[in-house]
Amino acid sequence: MTMSDHLPVLILLAPLFGAVAVGLFGMREPRVCLPVTLAALGVSLWCAVGILLRIHDEGPLDYFVAGWEKPVGIGIVLRADAINSPFLLVIAVVAIFAALFAVRPTGERESGKTPHFFILFLLLCTGLFGITITGDAFNLFVLVEVSALSSYGLIAIGRTKRCKVAAFHYLIMGTVGASFYLIGVGYLYLKTGSLNMRDIHDILVSNRSLFGSRTVQTAFLFILIGIWTKMAFFPLHGWLANAYSYCPSSSACLLAPLSTKASVYVMIRIMVSVFGLDQVEANAAWGDLVVWLAVIAIAAGSTLALAQREFKKMLCFLIVAEVGYMVGGAWLGDSGRWGLTGSVYHLLADATMTSCLFLAAGTFAKHLGVVRIDDLSGLFSRMPLASSGFVIGALAMIGVPPTGGFFSKFYLIRGAIDAGEWIYIAALLGSSLVNAVLFFRLFEIAFFGKNPVGFHREQGPIEVPSERLEPPFHVLAPLLGAAALVILLGVFNGPIVEFIRTALLDPVTIVSEAR
Amino acid sequence: MNAKLSATFAVVFTGAVLLYAVSDFPDFGDPRSPANHGVSGGAPSASVYYIKNAYHDTSVPNLVTAILADYRGYDTLFETVVIFTAGMAIFAILRVLRRDDSGIPAAPDPAIDGDHHRIVVGVTCRIAVPLVQIFALYVVAHGHHSPGGGFQGGVMLGASFILIALSTSLRHALGRLSETSFIRLACLGILIYAGFAFLPLVVGRNFLDYGALRALFGTDGEEMARSHGIFVVEIGIALTVTSVMFAIFANLSSRGRLHGGL
């Protein structure tokens, strides 16, 4: 075996060892934190690329931890396929952007908590990689805990009281969600005697009566509700807006793009690899119900976004709407599985465009003190480059070609037409319209705002000279990088979607390969 | 809506759904239930496999330890990481660093300096602490044969330091185990576990496959190497659990000020 066979485990070991290294050396010498973090994430990025290329050439990749291969289910398996490997890559890239942005974390500078911040940052990355690559239903729970605990820490590390309250609220909701997931997995284990996703699937498929069993149905329900709580699916979204808008910008740039998306990924993984798409699609009544819930989530998220005066809060409610897109798309149940394809593609697109927008919001908050939407006045003249990155993210959110946001909507709508879910199309288009209204209002303020003022937290509005105030390179680079990625995802949507569909159209190949 | 009423409704509803599923459960203690015996159509039952082969594979008589630290050692690694994360999050949230509390006078603070007049308590604990610590080490080492292992032993070891802090003062306890050292120890625990699990990669085997480290331990069979490997990772777990236990106590009881540390 060569080192490249170990990529599935190296991808999460790199940030784990990085966290340990920061803990051992960073406490005394905080300057090592950033290089260690970037090096660890660089290794992860290299692993993600390697995994992607291997899957492209050879198909799904299994890694048996501790070598316990047979019989299936005695050990833990990590599995990378066409659904999760692109997401692994996006996690690595977005995390690197967030790390660069966090060079001097805004909130923590005075309190000297930089090492703590980077330890939690790397542990969160470990958790996200682990969630995405595991093939074991219980192991997934363990890594959800790693990422959840580090998220609470990253939110509460800010110095204001309200971010601690928001973290506490999130902690309660997150714990409830994770417990629900665990109860579901426990119930499944009662009926199948297995924790390995592939094994559970095989048992369910070869004993069809199990699908009618009350325990298995309850298990599915609890897993779903648990994950929905974690992804802030309306009406379980209450924790999200305060947690992501009050936490330090550098935490938000990692959490907002990735945390909810990882939960959406878990839902898709459970649908595809545990219960099986055939079974999910056979129960059209469930699908219809979930699509309706998604429509409500989209409508509510967009409406609440319209009502916000704070910039980051508005973005947070847009995330609630976007989660609705992905849940609805995954449950459309159209025969060509375009809805599900759209959802998986939107995972990638949404992670990158949310990253772009939160990096922009963080930049404006950090360097101009922008909190409210009205503070954006005169932004373009002062930060032309940063603002253009922001504009690209915003256009993707609206769904303007050639950004990724346009193509995900295209695939989602194609699925909805096939499935005849017109209400979902209406919600999708309505929400795009709301996004257009929201962002063009921002553009208007930012472009034509009469009175370019800065805002200082203590001193109130202050006159700021209208000369250029472009942020430093390490802040600008991730923002423009994310914007470029949004466009690249859109331009190369064809090959990406084709790759994703290799896993969705013939789930047998991913579920019972190597058997 | 009345918050209490809606909470009651949510709890009753959730409980009702859980009970609804219970009617369908296998009988309690049924040796032929899916969890104990497997289900046709799937892979052979993992439980049956463990019972038959765990001793042969790992030469650890305690099945639970073999499953926890070897077959599912990957889960346990991340359970330890969860504890580590909790400790770091506590630091991130509670710890007040010196620059911030410049205004606080150096007056004695009972929460930190303790009450030095408790002779009976002080002497008793001084006698008890070494015994607790020796027993904790025994529990860590004896996980192979009896209930125990790194988590349980680590909690006891952590408790012994907390006992020192309670019976004398936090300052005194921090003199024994300073902030820098317990953060280092927590990291070291993870490093021992993950680093040791990483070693098999060097000889081309999978992560956590302690069997590959036969040469390192100088054992004849792979199963004995696994047994030793489990012991090494238990030590890692114990270190992390001990330091995180004490870190949480120290931060909570001094409101994050930890005077005398660092």
Side-chain angles (χ1 to χ4, degrees), chain B residues 151-170:
Chain B
F151 288 103
Q152 293 86 337
V155 166
M156 276 183 225
L157 213 49
S160 75
F161 284 103
I162 294 175
L163 191 61
I164 295 175
L166 285 177
S167 64
T168 58
S169 65
L170 184 61

Side-chain angles (χ1 to χ4, degrees), chain A residues 7-204:
Chain A
L7 292 178
V9 72
L10 288 177
I11 193 170
L12 69 160
L13 283 182
L16 180 62
F17 282 124
V20 169
V22 172
L24 284 176
F25 307 111
M27 293 289 174
R28 183 154 294 173
E29 189 45 81
R31 270 180 307 177
V32 306
C33 295
L34 186 76
V36 169
T37 305
L38 285 179
L41 291 172
V43 173
S44 291
L45 179 65
W46 172 74
C47 293
V49 172
I51 291 172
L52 196 68
L53 291 177
R54 265 189 87 142
I55 292 172
H56 188 263
D57 297 338
E58 302 165 24
L61 192 65
D62 280 321
Y63 186 83
F64 298 93
V65 180
W68 298 115
E69 186 171 347
K70 297 248 157 105
V72 173
I74 62 164
I76 291 169
V77 63
L78 309 181
R79 180 178 315 127
D81 62 17
I83 301 176
N84 60 11
S85 53
F87 189 51
L88 288 172
L89 187 62
V90 168
I91 294 176
V93 174
V94 169
I96 289 177
F97 289 159
L100 281 173
F101 178 83
V103 165
R104 255 185 300 159
T106 19
E108 307 81 65
R109 197 180 314 169
E110 311 100 80
S111 69
K113 284 188 181 167
T114 310
H116 304 85
F117 174 85
F118 279 107
I119 292 174
L120 292 171
F121 186 101
L122 285 166
L123 289 171
L124 177 58
C125 296
T126 312
L128 292 171
F129 284 127
I131 290 171
T132 310
I133 205 161
T134 188
D136 188 279
F138 179 76
N139 183 244
L140 196 148
F141 168 77
V142 177
L143 285 145
V144 163
E145 283 298 283
V146 174
S147 63
L149 283 180
S150 42
S151 309
Y152 309 146
L154 282 175
I155 292 167
I157 204 170
R159 291 166 61 81
T160 58
K161 273 217 171 91
R162 53 184 193 175
C163 76
K164 302 199 196 272
V165 175
F168 184 68
H169 192 184
Y170 181 22
L171 183 142
I172 300 290
M173 289 302 280
T175 309
V176 169
S179 311
F180 271 44
Y181 175 83
L182 187 62
I183 290 175
V185 171
Y187 273 31
L188 268 184
Y189 182 72
L190 268 176
K191 286 312 246 187
T192 60
S194 185
L195 293 171
N196 182 296
M197 290 184 187
R198 170 194 303 172
D199 199 28
I200 297 174
H201 178 81
D202 288 351
I203 289 169
L204 290 177

Side-chain angles (χ1 to χ4, degrees), chain A residues 1 3 6 9-10 12-13 16-17 19-20 23-24 27-28 63-68 70-76 78 109-113 116 119-120 123 126 130 133 136 138-139 142-143 145-146 149-150 152-153 156-157 159 164 180 183 187 189-193 195 199 202-203 206-207 210 213-218 221-222 515, chain B residues 13-14 17-26 33-36 38-47 49-50 57-58 70-79 81-86 88-89 91-97 99-100 179-180 183-185 187-188 190-191 194-195 198 200-202 204-210 226:
Chain A
M1 276 185 127
M3 219 47 173
H6 299 293
V9 72
L10 288 177
L12 69 160
L13 283 182
L16 180 62
F17 282 124
V20 169
L24 284 176
M27 293 289 174
R28 183 154 294 173
Y63 186 83
F64 298 93
V65 180
W68 298 115
K70 297 248 157 105
V72 173
I74 62 164
I76 291 169
L78 309 181
R109 197 180 314 169
E110 311 100 80
S111 69
K113 284 188 181 167
H116 304 85
I119 292 174
L120 292 171
L123 289 171
T126 312
I133 205 161
D136 188 279
F138 179 76
N139 183 244
V142 177
L143 285 145
E145 283 298 283
V146 174
L149 283 180
S150 42
Y152 309 146
I157 204 170
R159 291 166 61 81
K164 302 199 196 272
F180 271 44
I183 290 175
Y187 273 31
Y189 182 72
L190 268 176
K191 286 312 246 187
T192 60
L195 293 171
D199 199 28
D202 288 351
I203 289 169
S206 48
N207 302 274
L210 275 179
S213 132
R214 287 174 173 190
T215 311
V216 172
Q217 284 173 349
T218 310
L221 189 69
F222 268 79
R515 197 55 207 281
Chain B
F13 178 76
T14 313
V17 175
L18 287 172
L19 283 176
Y20 164 81
V22 168
S23 62
D24 192 32
F25 276 13
S33 71
N36 290 333
V39 183
S40 62
S45 162
S47 316
Y49 176 88
Y50 294 144
D57 283 346
T58 62
D70 193 336
Y71 295 106
R72 298 190 71 89
Y74 183 74
D75 272 346
T76 310
L77 168 61
F78 286 102
E79 290 292 0
V81 173
V82 166
I83 290 170
F84 178 65
T85 312
M88 289 302 129
F91 268 104
I93 297 166
L94 285 181
R95 185 79 176 94
V96 181
L97 291 169
R99 251 165 294 168
D100 297 37
E179 181 185 18
T180 335
I183 290 182
R184 288 228 174 108
L185 277 183
C187 293
L188 194 67
I190 301 286
L191 189 66
F198 186 84
L201 265 69
V202 179
R205 298 272 287 265
N206 280 8
F207 185 65
L208 271 165
D209 193 349
Y210 319 124
R226 290 212 177 86

